[in-house]
Structure formats: C-alpha cells, structure tokens
Amino acid sequence: MFWSRPTVSDDMAEWIAESFDWYEARFPTPDRLILPTAAFFSARKSAPEDTAAQVLADIQRHLGNQMTLALSPLGVVPAEYRHSYQSTGDVAGTFQSDGETALITYDPELLNRPISLINTLAHEVMHAQLHDVVDDFPGGIQAHELATDLSCIIAGFGVIQLQNADDVGWSGYLRQPTRAYALASFLHRRNIPLQNARPHLSARSWKLLKKAAKEHAAQA
C-alpha cells in the first residue's frame, strides 16, 4: 500500500509546538490572521518610500513592536549607516543593527508586488523583534533564519508568508509544507476556521494547508 508523505516530521512538529510556546510567552500574539487587505494595511498610492514606511508601521503595529527602525531602499542606504554594514547584495531585504541603530532595507521593486513587500518587511521586523533573544529560541543560533520565518507565522502572518512563497516560486528558509503545518497550528491554537484563509490562497497553497490541518488535528 502506498502512503502519502507526512507534511512534517515528528521532530519538526515538536519544534514548531515548542516554538509557539516560547514566542507566545515573550511577545504579544494576535487572535486573528493578518491578511493582505485594506483592513490590515492602510498604505495608499503615494511616493514609494512613503508607501513602504506605512507598510512598515502597520507591521510593527500588528506585532506590538515599538522599536525605532530606519527604513531605506536597497542601493540608497543613508550615509550614516554605510560605514557599519556590509554590501546587501542581491536580496529582497535586510536587517542590520550595531546595538544602537537598526536599519531595514528592501528592494524597491517589491512595491510592485504588495504581498512580497509585506512578507519581506515582516521578516525583517521579526529579525529586530528577536534580535536580543534569538539565541534562546528553540534550536539556538543554528535555527536563526528558520526561527524568524516561523515567528512571522506565529505572529499571524502565515497566510501572507505561505502565499508569497508560492507566488515567487521560492520557499525561503522554511519548506512550504512546514509553513502550511505551522499555519494550521496557528489556526488551531486561535480557534480560527480554516476557511478564513482560503480566499487569500492559491489552489496549491490551499491544498497544502488542508493536508497539514488534517494531520495536525490527528496529532492534537
């Protein structure tokens, strides 16, 4: 008999559950999904840097993050930061901190892809959120980038993260099935109906989420 491959391994499922507990004990977490709609993001058509700044402010509001974060398009990094940071290279965004100042950069092309812009800035703000405690995250420093992606899902950005990776054809640090399982965990913990995510997911992403939710329910 042929069996379908589990969405995540037992070890990964355990890490995700432990990570939820760790994050929720330290940071505010929403009781609803953060979705790519006007109900959650207030930016309107304006100068590109103003739009990015408003998206950043909305993300910080959803995360309960009150840090002062400088924001700059890649390739236009302000002079006062240039001496401190290495070349950003060909990336969507970065977070850099020298202990006194914190800078997020983003690829300005992302302004043409709103979900990618939200996802990138959420990931970089999460870097800032975890900056002082990330070594204590389950899995330690080796899991740094994985922990950042997962924490975005724990904080409500799972639909945005799952769909963005599908849109751009790049899975990032977590595998898509792992993202789907983490999103299913979020929905279960918050008692949010699975159907609330459906309008914002492609058929492929929705199929992954349904499979992950079924497996999560069987393990709960």
Side-chain angles (χ1 to χ4, degrees), residues 113-202:
R113 294 184 280 122
I115 292 179
S116 290
L117 178 65
I118 294 168
N119 185 68
T120 296
L121 292 183
H123 181 88
E124 303 310 332
V125 174
M126 187 57 71
H127 269 303
Q129 184 107 312
L130 297 176
H131 185 258
D132 293 334
V133 295
V134 70
D135 290 356
D136 298 326
F137 199 98
I141 189 64
Q142 295 86 354
H144 187 178
E145 291 292 355
L146 293 172
T148 305
D149 262 4
L150 178 58
S151 293
C152 289
I153 298 173
I154 296 170
F157 287 82
V159 164
I160 290 169
Q161 192 177 122
L162 182 66
Q163 188 54 45
N164 177 70
D166 186 55
D167 288 343
V168 302
W170 178 65
S171 64
Y173 298 102
L174 292 175
R175 295 169 54 248
Q176 281 293 77
T178 306
R179 279 196 182 90
Y181 186 89
L183 176 54
S185 298
F186 175 87
L187 296 172
H188 176 79
R189 284 176 175 247
R190 302 292 181 273
N191 197 29
I192 297 172
L194 196 68
Q195 289 290 335
N196 287 18
R198 186 172 189 174
H200 308 280
L201 295 175
S202 66

Side-chain angles (χ1 to χ4, degrees), residues 25-44:
R26 289 161 177 80
F27 301 105
T29 51
D31 58 3
R32 59 180 181 169
L33 283 167
I34 308 301
L35 300 171
T37 69
F40 294 90
F41 295 94
S42 57
R44 297 294 182 265

